Amino acid sequence: MIASKIDMSSKTKPVLPPIMQGKLILNGENPFIRLSHAPGEPLTCDASLWTITYSPEGAGHALFIKSELTHSAWRIYTDNPQMVRWLQATVQGMLNPDTASHGIAITEAQFLQQGDLQSNWIHKVLAESDEITLTWSRLIDPLLMAHDQPAQLPERKYGVCVVMIPALEAALTINGQKASGKVWPCTYDGRPFSTASLAFSESWRER
């Protein structure tokens, strides 16, 4: 690394925000859809979609999904299998231990995105035998959220900062069949939230 005498300290030149502690391990997006028949009931559909711009295993996309359309078994679709295995061993596996198993089959797929944040946001996942569409709509005010690995939650070994844009409606289809259940509104720290949300500018770090 080239040494520099230029001081860009946020304490003396507050043009940039302070640097957060820890090692950055992931940057990207992680929208999710969680559907059920009633608030608090078991999920009928659980989908976690990753669009990663930076990780130790490169960039790429991954969809972790479980619903009655997958016979209540987890499936993974991706364009970077090595990145998926890393995700399973780190952030995704921490968020949902059920998705950490290497016994879950990986299917190669292409990922397409369209839409805007004024109407709806759509992702398509195209595999050899499956076409999956995820849609978020009726988006509400975004929330800037940060998690600094509080001591009372030692199982969360990573910190995160993210922009969440909750959706009051969301849907997932596989080969034209719609997953059952619906999105339910809720609150988070007193702010409107829901069981489906876009998650942008997502950065994960470890101590």
Side-chain angles (χ1 to χ4, degrees), residues 170-186:
L172 184 146
T173 64
I174 300 180
N175 298 328
Q177 289 186 280
K178 187 175 181 180
S180 65
K182 61 175 291 186
V183 171
W184 297 97
C186 57

Side-chain angles (χ1 to χ4, degrees), residues 19-200:
I19 296 173
M20 301 188 74
Q21 296 300 311
K23 177 183 178 181
L24 182 69
I25 61 169
L26 185 158
N27 179 260
E29 304 172 3
N30 183 213
F32 60 86
I33 295 176
R34 295 170 186 148
L35 308 178
S36 63
H37 291 306
E41 287 195 357
L43 297 180
T44 56
C45 179
D46 191 352
S48 175
L49 175 66
W50 290 93
T51 299
I52 293 178
T53 54
Y54 171 81
S55 83
E57 299 298 337
H61 304 79
L63 172 64
F64 294 77
I65 180 175
K66 178 182 177 182
S67 85
E68 80 280 5
L69 300 179
T70 66
H71 306 290
S72 298
W74 282 103
R75 292 183 187 176
I76 302 173
Y77 297 83
T78 188
D79 53 10
N80 185 342
Q82 191 169 345
M83 182 194 72
V84 160
R85 293 309 190 199
W86 175 84
L87 269 176
Q88 289 178 290
T90 55
V91 177
Q92 176 64 41
M94 177 197 70
L95 293 173
N96 188 340
D98 289 344
T99 64
S101 171
H102 283 199
I104 303 172
I106 291 179
T107 300
E108 292 188 10
Q110 293 181 307
F111 292 74
L112 306 173
Q113 179 269 315
Q114 65 187 72
D116 58 62
L117 299 181
Q118 283 67 51
S119 55
N120 53 41
W121 194 259
I122 302 170
H123 271 266
K124 289 186 179 292
V125 182
L126 307 176
E128 184 175 355
S129 58
D130 294 318
E131 179 175 328
I132 304 170
T133 302
L134 304 94
T135 305
W136 293 260
S137 56
R138 293 185 61 201
L139 304 172
I140 59 178
D141 289 344
L143 305 170
L144 179 60
M145 305 167 73
H147 191 300
D148 281 322
Q149 303 157 268
Q152 64 268 31
L153 293 173
E155 70 275 11
R156 292 187 68 95
K157 59 188 292 187
Y158 308 106
V160 65
C161 55
V162 58
V163 175
M164 288 280 192
I165 308 177
L168 297 181
E169 293 183 0
L172 184 146
T173 64
I174 300 180
N175 298 328
Q177 289 186 280
K178 187 175 181 180
S180 65
K182 61 175 291 186
V183 171
W184 297 97
C186 57
T187 59
Y188 192 95
D189 285 345
R191 298 284 296 275
F193 203 66
S194 87
T195 60
S197 180
L198 300 174
F200 292 159

